[in-house]
């Protein structure tokens, strides 16, 4: 059993309780324009270019069979329209200016990494978090990892948009100690327009989880101009207050830390000009949500 | 903080470190007058002369009295060990970092009296005369340093005895021991008699110093117009009358008793790490409880006394060093490192109210001296660790944290009793010791990567072209990784032999010419044995060689193993060619070494097992060898600032490090090589057998964000406790941003208060050299986790 991931981050302290190891799955059915992990969206491997690291040795030019790389005025240029994303240029680049994002790994390989920090999980009530991308897009792989963790008594969390079939969710739920559930916008038309996916299934799956008594932390990204209007915040609060077992709501203010990542992937960042939300506005949003649900925190 | 403490602290911060010739003159006179006496008695008479004649002072508003010199930060010199030349004095006066003001008067006194009396007769000159040419060559090449060439053996800490006994009691014990000497059966009876007589002279001398302070306080009280201050001065007079002559009767007296003893030790000679009260919260607790119960003490008055005590340490800069010794530890800090928490002798939780009070004092005083640490046992409550965490996250590098269980286990392995082990702790940077009972001497730093450089050049130091080591194989002969490792171990053996031969001579020089009867009477079992601290009088006598550059070594071996011998991407000849060129024209090779080889600090067994290989090679070479005092050698892994000096003496290394840049420090990974976050670093460091050392130093630099809020404190605690579960000895934290540090480098005037953890101690960032500043900036920042 293998899956495609793009990172395993140890000592993660913002993806559930305690000290955790977060496994980032590659591939997501949603296409949120604010995504700060743009490398997580596509399922297949991508090539990241870090021009700041390039020492202009030119060894990559010869390694490329599709002639996508050339030198112009001493600068190495990559024509992404010719690039097959084979990754043949990467081994020769000792400078790390060319890197692959996404690798196929076995369950054993991932578990080998997860178990390394058990001493920290034991002490801090931490564990493993499966994030993405959307972990449920590779649900067989996810199930295998969840089962493996539970066999070892490791606490599990899944960071999801909920975009999966109810039967898959039901199969996974007993192996998940905590769901980190993203909620973007209540209005379905807007949701479809922003992410390319309707929110009906997503909201229903959230209701199912709470009905099964699963522990859930809801995470709401606040994207100025897209979902930070009072109407959406009020509706979010009302919806959440109708659900049981919502442990906490984390409000995650939009930030621009992903901007550089888009450039390295050769993509345009649609939200480039969006400002980060101001403190006053965030306070208003927190207050509104607190009318409906008791534990609301900024960040998480 | 009370107004009094604020003023005293300010005065301490403002005081300019100066040199005073007073002690030099007094010791010169005393030696001239001593006549035909034994070495211990001569030393005791000099000590007595200094204590009787030296200027004393009482600073305005202070409650704990006594300075080493005539004023705060006025610092003695020790010409019998190392006589500063006029050029040395000029350098000290004008150097940019860690300067000491030298007056014209001092220069004249040195020129006319001190230098003529001591030049050619100092211990330093004797040591260098006695060293072999191969020792000098290795020393000049930066293979090792020598601790005792201008400072005396010290490296020791006091236990609880001065809180139970006064000098009168010690003198009585000495008298009883003298009376029991058996001149018929014991061939050393005369030597013991001389040592014991010397100790007795010292007990009187320190009481004389205290009584002179009592007289001065009483005199000041007579003329004092402020009735409140007058009462304080009367109290000071009565305190100084009672201690250290008799056992202290109050919290105030306990602190003052220690302080006179401290002054005695650092005046008698200039021992490394000054002196140190050790487990201060344990020593003070009975006085605290009694004072509170009797209504003579409040938590606030105890805090004020402790804070006055803290200022005293900050008023005593480390005696100035010159040459390589200045480079290996360039700081005003004299490494007094107060312990807090830990275990009691019976193995129970030692944390008490004074432990928490001390943490508050550390927080409030924000001084580089004294240094402080907590001995964290699994039996100590989390509340204690959290309390410490809240001080640590302010980013001043204090307190550092030690694993009490590992520290105890280290001492048990060395053969100490369980009670002596539990009553011990750590001092200096990270050194484990049985307080009040052990002489644990650091003899010098050892440059492990330099030995690899010499190995790769078949015994030649490429920096000078000199053949320093044996012929252990030219390149064509090194056909496997095992060949290389074998050659490295042979070179290591060669240089450790050279170092130890030197140590064994230097140790006898101190034993024969520089006994320390005052320090000796404080350390078990010097009185019982009638033997000096410098001659094996202590119950335990351990010597150390401190390995430096573990991370650089591990990564260098990992690069050679994987890229040269396993993958064959690079030949050994090409590698050495690139190193010899300092990677000029070989940037691709450097990047290959840097980015394509396993690195220690990432929980990668391929690199971490080689770290263990390096550790074991060093351990096997050093551990268990005898010293001249009946004890044995052990290893520890700490650098102070020597990784910078050693780096400057070492060419490019196979881990991709450029020549001349700092080596890795302590057991921390190479600066910037750890890419998987703190848990991976802790796991890697946890793979070494810390119990086989007498101390390892692990630096972790965190940005303040990681430690924000209650969650940040939780995480800090989890990381520490988990590392200690893995068996780690010590961990310390730098909590700053690289941006802040860069800013401080550019605008030092705006960041005078910026304290960073350097090695086993904290220092003002602005006082550090540029290279060291750069190195601290480069240490991996664990932000964003």
């Amino acid at each position: 059993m293998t899956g495609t991931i793009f990172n395993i981050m140890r000592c993660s302290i913002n993806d559930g309780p305690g000290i955790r190891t977060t496994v980032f799955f590659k591939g997501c059915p949603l296409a949120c324009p604010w995504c700060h992990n743009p490398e997580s969206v596509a399922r297949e491997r991508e090539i990241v270019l870090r021009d700041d690291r390039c020492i202009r040795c030119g060894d990559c030019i010869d390694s490329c069979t599709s002639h996508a790389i050339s030198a112009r005025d001493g600068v190495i240029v990559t024509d992404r329209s010719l690039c097959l994303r084979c990754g043949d240029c990467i081994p020769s680049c000792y400078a790390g200016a060319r890197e692959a994002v996404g690798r196929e790994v076995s369950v054993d390989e991932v578990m080998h990494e997860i178990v390394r920090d058990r001493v920290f999980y034991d002490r801090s009530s931490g564990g493993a978090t499966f994030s993405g991308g959307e972990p449920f897009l590779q649900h067989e792989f996810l199930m295998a990892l969840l089962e493996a963790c539970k066999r070892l008594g490791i606490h599990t969390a899944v960071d999801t948009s909920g975009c999966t079939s109810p039967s898959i969710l039901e199969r996974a739920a007993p192996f998940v100690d905590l769901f980190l559930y993203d909620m973007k916008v209540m209005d379905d038309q807007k949701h479809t327009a922003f992410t390319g996916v309707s929110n009906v299934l997503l909201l229903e799956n959230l209701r199912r989880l709470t009905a099964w008594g699963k522990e859930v932390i809801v995470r709401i990204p606040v994207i100025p101009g897209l979902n930070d209007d009072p109407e959406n915040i009020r509706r979010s609060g009302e919806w959440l207050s109708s659900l049981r077992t919502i442990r906490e709501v984390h409000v995650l203010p939009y930030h621009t830390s992903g901007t550089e990542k888009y450039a390295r992937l050769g993509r345009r960042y649609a939200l480039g000009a969006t400002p980060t939300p101001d403190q006053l506005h965030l306070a208003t949003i927190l207050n509104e949500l607190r009318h409906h649900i008791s534990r609301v925190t900024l960040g998480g | 903080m009370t107004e009094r403490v604020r003023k005293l602290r300010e005065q301490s911060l403002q005081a300019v470190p100066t040199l005073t010739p007073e002690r030099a003159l007094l010791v010169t006179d005393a030696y001239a007058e001593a006549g035909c006496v034994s070495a211990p008695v001569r030393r005791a008479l000099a000590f007595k002369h200094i204590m009787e004649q030296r200027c004393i002072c009482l600073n305005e508003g202070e409650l704990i009295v006594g300075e080493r010199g005539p004023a705060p930060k006025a610092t003695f010199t020790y010409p019998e060990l190392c006589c500063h030349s006029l050029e040395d004095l000029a350098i000290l006066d004008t150097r940019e970092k860690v300067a000491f003001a030298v007056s014209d008067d001092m220069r004249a006194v040195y020129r006319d009296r001190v230098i003529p009396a001591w030049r050619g007769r100092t211990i330093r000159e004797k040591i260098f005369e006695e060293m072999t040419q191969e020792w000098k060559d290795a020393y000049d090449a930066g293979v090792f340093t020598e601790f005792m060439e201008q400072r005396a053996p010290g490296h020791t800490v006091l236990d609880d005895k001065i809180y139970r006994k006064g000098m009168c009691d010690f003198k009585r014990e000495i008298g009883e021991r003298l009376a029991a000497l058996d001149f018929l059966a014991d061939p050393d009876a005369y030597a013991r008699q001389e040592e014991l007589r010397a100790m007795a002279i010292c007990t009187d001398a320190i009481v004389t110093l205290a009584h002179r302070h009592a007289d001065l306080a009483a005199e000041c009280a007579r003329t004092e117009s402020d009735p409140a201050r007058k009462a304080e001065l009367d109290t000071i007079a009565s305190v100084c009358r009672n201690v250290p002559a008799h056992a202290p009767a109050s919290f105030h007296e306990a602190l003052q008793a220690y302080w006179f003893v401290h002054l005695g030790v650092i005046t008698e000679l200039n021992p490394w790490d000054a002196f140190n009260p050790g487990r201060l919260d344990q020593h003070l607790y009975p006085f605290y409880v009694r004072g509170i119960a009797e209504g003579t003490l409040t938590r606030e008055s105890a805090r004020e006394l402790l804070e006055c005590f803290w200022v005293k340490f900050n008023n005593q800069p480390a005696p100035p060093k010159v040459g390589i010794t200045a480079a290996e530890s360039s700081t005003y800090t004299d490494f007094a490192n107060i312990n807090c928490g830990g275990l009691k002798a019976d193995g129970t939780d030692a944390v008490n109210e004074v432990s928490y009070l001390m943490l508050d004092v550390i927080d409030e005083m924000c001084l580089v001296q004294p240094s402080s640490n907590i001995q964290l046992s699994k039996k100590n409550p989390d509340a204690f660790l959290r309390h410490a965490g809240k001080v640590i996250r302010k980013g001043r590098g204090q307190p550092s944290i030690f694993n009490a269980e590992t520290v105890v286990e280290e001492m048990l392995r060395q053969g100490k009793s369980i009670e002596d082990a539990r009553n011990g702790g750590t001092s200096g940077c990270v050194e484990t010791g049985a307080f009040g009972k052990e002489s644990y001497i650091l003899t010098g730093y050892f440059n492990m990567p330099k030995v690899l450089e010499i190995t790769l050049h078949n015994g030649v130091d490429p920096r000078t072209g000199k053949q320093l080591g044996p012929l252990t194989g030219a390149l064509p002969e090194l056909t496997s990784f095992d060949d290389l490792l074998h050659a490295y171990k042979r070179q290591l053996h060669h240089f450790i032999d050279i170092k130890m031969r030197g140590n064994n001579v230097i140790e006898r020089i101190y034993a024969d010419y520089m006994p320390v009867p005052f320090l000796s009477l404080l350390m078990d079992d010097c009185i019982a044995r009638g033997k000096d601290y410098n001659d094996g009088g202590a119950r335990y006598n351990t010597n150390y060689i401190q390995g430096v550059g573990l991370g650089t070594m591990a990564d260098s071996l990992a690069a050679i193993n994987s890229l040269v011998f396993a993958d064959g991407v690079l030949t050994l000849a090409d590698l050495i060619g690139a190193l010899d060129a300092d990677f000029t024209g070989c940037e691709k090779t450097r990047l290959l070494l840097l980015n394509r080889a396993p690195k220690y600090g990432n929980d990668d067994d391929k690199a971490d097992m080689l770290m263990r290989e390096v550790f074991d090679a060093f351990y096997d070479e050093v551990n268990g060898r005898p010293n001249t005092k009946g004890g044995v050698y052990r290893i520890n892994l700490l650098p102070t600032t020597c990784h910078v000096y050693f780096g400057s003496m070492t060419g490019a290394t196979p881990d991709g490090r450029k020549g001349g840049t700092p080596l890795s420090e302590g057991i921390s990974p190479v600066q910037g090589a750890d890419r998987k976050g703190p848990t991976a670093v802790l796991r890697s460091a946890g793979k070494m057998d810390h119990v086989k050392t007498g101390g390892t130093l692990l630096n972790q630099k965190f940005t303040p964000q990681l430690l924000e809020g209650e969650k940040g404190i939780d995480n800090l605690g989890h990381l520490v406790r988990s590392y200690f579960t893995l068996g780690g000895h010590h961990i310390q934290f730098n909590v700053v941003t690289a941006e802040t540090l860069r800013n401080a480098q550019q605008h030092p005037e705006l960041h005078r208060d910026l304290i960073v953890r350097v090695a086993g101690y904290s220092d003002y960032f602005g006082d550090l050299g540029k290279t060291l500043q750069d190195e601290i900036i480069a240490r991996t920042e664990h932000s964003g986790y």
Side-chain angles (χ1 to χ4, degrees):
Chain A
M1 169 73 64
T2 63
T4 308
I5 63 167
F6 67 92
N7 195 13
I8 297 179
M9 191 165 101
R10 292 168 63 174
C11 201
S12 163
I13 54 170
N14 292 316
D15 293 310
I19 292 172
R20 313 187 69 82
T21 295
T22 301
V23 181
F24 291 90
F25 286 50
K26 194 154 159 55
C28 183
L30 276 63
C32 312
W34 56 80
C35 185
H36 67 275
N37 279 333
E39 71 274 35
S40 71
V41 180
R43 176 66 199 279
E44 65 274 18
R45 171 164 68 180
E46 294 172 274
I47 307 293
V48 164
L49 303 179
R50 300 280 308 263
D51 198 47
D52 53 321
R53 293 179 178 172
C54 178
I55 58 163
R56 323 270 187 255
C57 70
D59 287 1
C60 51
I61 299 174
D62 297 335
S63 69
C64 181
T65 48
S66 52
H67 307 293
I69 313 174
S70 58
R72 270 181 231 151
D73 307 326
V75 177
I76 309 296
V77 181
T78 306
D79 184 343
R80 285 197 180 261
S81 68
L82 295 175
C83 174
L84 303 174
R85 298 195 274 203
C86 65
D88 285 354
C89 56
I90 293 168
S92 68
C93 185
Y94 299 158
R98 314 181 76 82
E99 286 179 336
V101 180
R103 58 192 160 107
E104 195 170 309
V105 288
S106 69
V107 172
D108 284 350
E109 282 174 76
V110 176
M111 288 310 298
H112 183 70
E113 197 69 12
I114 287 175
V115 296
R116 286 183 167 266
D117 277 348
R118 283 190 81 167
V119 65
F120 299 94
Y121 314 151
D122 289 349
R123 178 71 212 177
S124 68
S125 304
T129 297
F130 302 101
S131 181
E134 172 52 64
F136 277 109
L137 200 60
Q138 303 178 56
H139 57 86
E140 295 297 340
F141 183 55
L142 174 65
M143 277 306 301
L145 287 171
L146 288 171
E147 285 170 10
C149 282
K150 284 293 107 187
R151 271 197 298 276
L152 297 172
I154 294 173
H155 181 275
T156 57
V158 173
D159 183 4
T160 178
S161 66
C163 189
T164 190
S165 82
S167 64
I168 290 171
L169 195 66
E170 190 171 6
R171 197 155 71 86
F175 298 93
V176 182
D177 295 307
L178 172 68
F179 281 92
L180 304 169
Y181 208 101
D182 292 356
M183 232 177 76
K184 311 187 193 272
V185 62
M186 294 303 292
D187 182 281
D188 190 30
Q189 268 189 328
K190 280 188 182 171
H191 196 278
T192 309
F194 294 156
T195 71
V197 174
S198 159
N199 69 4
V200 174
L201 174 69
L202 279 49
L203 294 175
E204 274 314 303
N205 275 345
L206 175 56
R207 185 188 290 288
R208 284 189 184 94
L209 287 179
T210 60
W212 297 333
K214 298 306 294 184
E215 201 171 344
V216 180
I217 292 176
V218 169
R219 312 219 276 192
I220 305 177
V222 175
I223 319 295
L226 298 187
N227 71 348
D228 64 338
D229 52 291
E231 166 73 5
N232 184 53
I233 301 302
R234 184 184 56 76
R235 282 181 64 186
S236 302
E238 283 171 4
W239 161 256
L240 291 172
S241 68
S242 75
L243 302 174
R244 299 165 33 218
T245 72
I246 299 286
R247 179 169 132 170
E248 287 171 45
V249 174
H250 292 170
V251 172
L252 310 175
Y254 168 76
H255 57 86
T256 55
S257 71
T259 313
E260 182 68 16
K261 289 186 180 177
Y262 281 87
R264 289 176 192 160
L265 285 161
R267 292 205 216 129
R268 202 181 69 81
Y269 186 34
L271 263 59
T274 304
T276 53
D278 69 69
Q279 293 304 311
L280 189 65
H281 188 43
L282 282 172
T284 317
I285 290 172
L286 289 173
N287 281 338
E288 172 61 26
L289 286 171
R290 283 179 185 138
H291 281 308
H292 305 282
I293 189 151
S294 56
R295 291 204 61 182
V296 181
T297 57
L298 190 61
Chain B
M1 188 183 300
T2 62
E3 183 60 16
R4 176 206 316 275
V5 173
R6 195 193 61 73
K7 277 188 184 157
L8 289 170
R9 180 178 178 279
E10 194 58 29
Q11 182 188 50
S12 183
L13 289 173
Q14 297 299 329
V16 176
T18 55
L19 283 187
T20 166
E22 188 179 40
R23 183 187 176 284
L25 286 172
L26 292 170
V27 84
T28 306
D29 292 345
Y31 264 60
E33 287 162 22
C36 184
V37 294
S38 63
V41 170
R42 178 163 52 240
R43 297 296 304 158
L45 290 174
F47 183 72
K48 177 169 176 277
H49 187 58
I50 297 166
M51 290 311 178
E52 285 169 354
Q53 300 297 322
R54 50 156 298 201
C55 292
I56 60 169
C57 72
L58 242 170
N59 300 317
E60 199 183 321
E62 68 181 1
L63 297 175
I64 304 295
V65 300
E67 301 287 348
R68 170 166 46 188
K73 293 197 184 169
T75 307
F76 285 159
T77 53
Y78 303 80
E80 65 268 47
L81 284 191
C82 161
C83 182
H84 292 97
S85 64
L86 292 176
E87 302 79 63
D88 289 338
L89 294 181
I91 291 169
L92 291 170
D93 191 34
T94 54
R95 70 184 178 192
E96 196 186 343
K97 308 286 180 185
V98 194
F100 286 81
V102 178
S103 67
D104 289 343
D105 179 48
M106 165 118 187
R107 255 185 287 272
V109 164
Y110 251 69
R111 187 189 58 225
D112 300 339
R113 298 201 44 207
V114 179
I115 294 174
W118 291 102
R119 172 100 338 150
R121 299 185 184 90
T122 66
I123 292 295
R124 185 170 200 236
E125 287 155 302
K126 182 152 189 67
I127 286 173
F128 282 114
E129 270 165 34
E130 293 287 351
M131 294 300 106
T132 59
Q133 190 56 44
E134 56 180 4
W135 186 97
K136 287 176 191 162
D137 287 343
Y139 178 79
D140 290 341
V143 176
F144 51 72
T145 65
E146 173 48 54
F147 258 50
M148 259 60 78
E149 50 91 19
Q150 50 188 301
R151 292 197 66 176
H155 298 110
T156 195
V157 175
L158 195 54
D159 58 5
D160 66 342
K161 62 173 73 74
I162 64 156
Y163 310 97
R164 293 184 280 107
K165 297 190 280 192
M167 288 297 146
C168 300
D169 304 302
F170 288 108
K171 196 176 175 186
R172 193 172 53 245
E173 280 174 32
I174 293 164
E176 285 163 9
R177 186 71 190 88
L178 271 170
L181 284 175
D182 183 348
F183 282 81
L184 295 175
D186 178 5
D188 295 327
Y190 177 71
R192 294 186 214 283
Q193 170 189 282
E194 291 303 296
E195 177 70 25
L196 290 164
R197 279 181 176 166
M199 291 182 192
I201 294 169
C202 292
T203 57
D204 289 341
I206 200 72
V207 171
T208 301
L209 181 76
H211 285 175
R212 288 179 64 205
H213 281 85
D215 294 343
L216 180 61
E219 191 185 311
C220 293
R222 273 193 293 279
T223 54
E224 177 62 51
S225 53
D226 174 11
R229 181 60 183 161
K230 186 174 158 47
E232 284 171 7
L233 287 164
D234 284 335
T235 304
I236 290 168
S238 100
V239 166
C240 295
R241 209 56 80 201
N242 195 45
V243 294
H246 307 283
S250 68
F251 193 85
H252 188 162
E253 287 193 356
L255 287 170
Q256 185 66 62
Y258 175 77
W259 188 247
F260 279 128
V261 165
H262 186 96
L263 290 179
V265 172
I266 66 173
T267 301
E268 179 176 46
L269 268 183
N270 60 356
W272 276 102
D273 298 349
F275 201 43
N276 184 342
R279 304 280 297 278
L280 189 60
D281 55 342
Q282 306 308 302
H283 306 327
L284 293 178
Y285 187 59
F287 298 100
Y288 181 82
V289 171
R290 199 188 316 154
I292 298 277
E294 290 170 355
T296 51
L297 191 76
T298 64
R299 191 173 197 279
E300 285 318 302
S301 63
R303 177 203 293 251
E304 185 175 50
L305 283 163
L306 270 173
E307 292 184 337
C308 288
F309 183 70
W310 243 244
V311 167
K312 284 289 159 184
F313 283 89
N314 203 58
N315 283 352
Q316 322 302 327
K321 298 169 281 257
V322 294
I324 290 170
T325 312
E328 68 184 303
S329 63
S330 162
T331 176
Y332 289 128
T333 302
D334 212 3
F335 302 101
N337 195 339
I338 296 177
N339 290 232
C340 188
L343 293 165
K344 294 186 203 169
D346 64 3
T348 56
D349 173 16
V351 169
N352 59 44
E353 267 181 75
V354 180
S355 318
Y356 289 96
L357 186 60
M358 268 171 52
L359 289 173
D360 289 344
V361 168
I362 294 161
D363 184 20
E364 199 163 79
M365 292 309 280
C366 188
L367 293 169
V368 292
Q369 295 203 82
S371 193
S372 57
N373 70 69
I374 65 168
Q375 301 287 313
L376 182 69
S377 160
K378 59 190 177 195
K379 291 179 183 169
N380 295 153
D382 277 346
F384 175 60
L385 175 56
R386 294 178 64 85
H387 206 94
K390 285 178 183 171
V391 183
I392 288 166
R393 77 166 161 200
K394 294 190 178 169
R396 304 174 201 131
Q398 285 194 40
S400 58
I401 312 176
F402 290 86
N403 186 351
E405 274 74 22
T406 295
V407 167
V408 168
E409 202 182 340
E410 287 162 15
M411 286 194 265
L412 291 179
R413 188 190 80 83
Q414 297 177 349
K416 288 161 186 143
S417 76
I418 186 75
E419 291 79 14
D420 287 353
R422 286 177 183 147
N423 280 331
T426 52
S427 64
C429 288
V430 296
E431 299 90 291
T432 297
F435 293 172
K437 295 160 189 73
E438 183 176 18
S439 147
Y440 42 116
I441 307 297
L442 276 62
T443 64
Y445 298 109
F446 191 87
N447 187 345
M448 298 191 282
K450 184 75 195 177
V451 175
L452 178 64
E453 186 181 30
I454 291 169
T455 308
L456 291 172
H457 292 84
N458 199 13
V460 173
D461 177 8
R463 210 175 62 86
T464 56
K466 272 191 190 170
Q467 183 80 35
L468 297 183
L471 299 167
T472 49
L475 286 195
E477 296 163 53
L478 303 174
T479 55
S480 71
F481 187 69
D482 283 345
D483 286 348
L484 176 72
L485 210 55
H486 182 66
Y488 178 77
K489 286 178 185 173
R490 282 184 60 202
Q491 295 287 354
L492 192 64
H493 180 71
H494 173 77
F495 289 108
I496 293 288
D497 271 357
I498 293 175
K499 173 69 180 152
M500 288 211 180
R501 185 196 182 282
N503 285 354
N504 286 347
V505 171
I506 294 167
E507 202 162 271
R508 292 329 298 168
I509 291 176
Y510 274 95
D512 290 348
Y513 298 90
M514 280 296 144
V516 277
F518 182 65
L519 175 59
S520 301
L521 73 91
L522 300 164
M523 306 305 291
D524 297 337
D525 301 314
C526 293
I527 294 177
R529 292 179 179 173
K531 224 167 161 50
D532 194 81
Y533 176 85
N534 282 347
D535 191 21
R539 185 173 301 170
Y540 309 108
N541 291 280
T542 314
N543 284 25
Y544 285 94
I545 296 179
Q546 309 96 259
V548 175
L550 183 75
T552 306
M553 269 307 292
D555 290 0
S556 293
L557 290 184
I560 296 173
N561 189 32
S562 71
L563 300 173
V564 175
F565 292 114
D567 301 348
V569 207
L570 194 66
T571 66
L572 201 53
D574 286 347
L575 169 65
I576 290 164
L579 299 182
D580 288 346
D582 198 18
F583 300 116
T584 307
C586 320
E587 182 62 8
K588 267 212 81 138
T589 305
R590 195 179 78 86
L591 290 167
L592 173 72
L593 297 166
L594 210 55
N595 295 331
R596 292 291 163 87
K599 302 285 178 191
Y600 165 66
N602 295 288
D603 195 10
D604 176 345
D605 288 340
K606 285 200 283 296
D608 297 346
M609 288 306 116
L610 288 170
M611 174 278 287
R612 288 187 56 146
E613 195 77 59
V614 177
F615 177 93
D616 288 344
F618 188 58
Y619 173 83
D620 291 343
E621 193 51 63
V622 174
N623 183 70
R625 289 218 206 177
N627 63 25
T628 73
K629 299 189 293 190
V632 295
Y633 275 86
R634 308 289 182 189
I635 64 163
N636 53 22
L637 296 159
L638 67 102
T640 315
T641 61
C642 201
H643 59 299
V644 177
Y645 163 66
F646 277 166
S648 75
M649 301 299 281
T650 308
T653 39
D655 59 336
R657 172 190 149 277
K658 288 199 174 176
T661 60
L663 305 178
S664 63
E665 50 79 28
I667 60 162
S668 310
V670 165
Q671 300 78 353
D674 48 319
R675 308 310 294 265
K676 287 196 168 176
T679 59
V681 173
L682 300 181
R683 284 261 312 166
S684 283
K687 289 176 197 173
M688 95 177 39
D689 194 348
H690 294 259
V691 172
K692 286 179 165 179
T693 74
T696 61
L697 184 146
L698 180 65
N699 238 316
Q700 284 276 277
K701 188 165 137 193
F702 286 145
T703 52
Q705 298 88 317
L706 189 73
L707 304 174
E708 254 165 28
E710 291 299 309
K711 192 173 170 182
I713 294 296
D714 286 344
N715 287 329
L716 183 82
H718 297 327
L719 288 172
V720 170
R721 293 272 199 192
S722 302
Y723 180 52
F724 288 177
T725 303
L726 295 170
H729 169 89
H730 153 276
I731 186 167
Q732 64 191 20
F733 297 92
N734 264 325
V735 188
V736 280
T737 63
E739 197 187 338
T740 308
L741 295 177
R742 272 188 217 100
N743 199 353
Q745 205 173 28
Q746 277 155 17
H747 307 286
E749 72 284 1
L750 300 176
H751 297 274
R752 289 228 170 95
D753 59 337
L754 184 59
I755 294 175
V756 291
R757 195 85 184 163
V758 180
Y761 66 98
S762 297
D763 210 337
Y764 288 106
F765 188 71
D767 278 352
L768 307 175
K770 168 107 181 11
T771 322
L772 190 58
Q773 288 183 342
D774 287 342
E775 197 261 320
I776 289 179
I777 291 172
R779 278 180 203 165
T780 310
E781 258 189 279
H782 294 292
S783 56
Y785 287 96

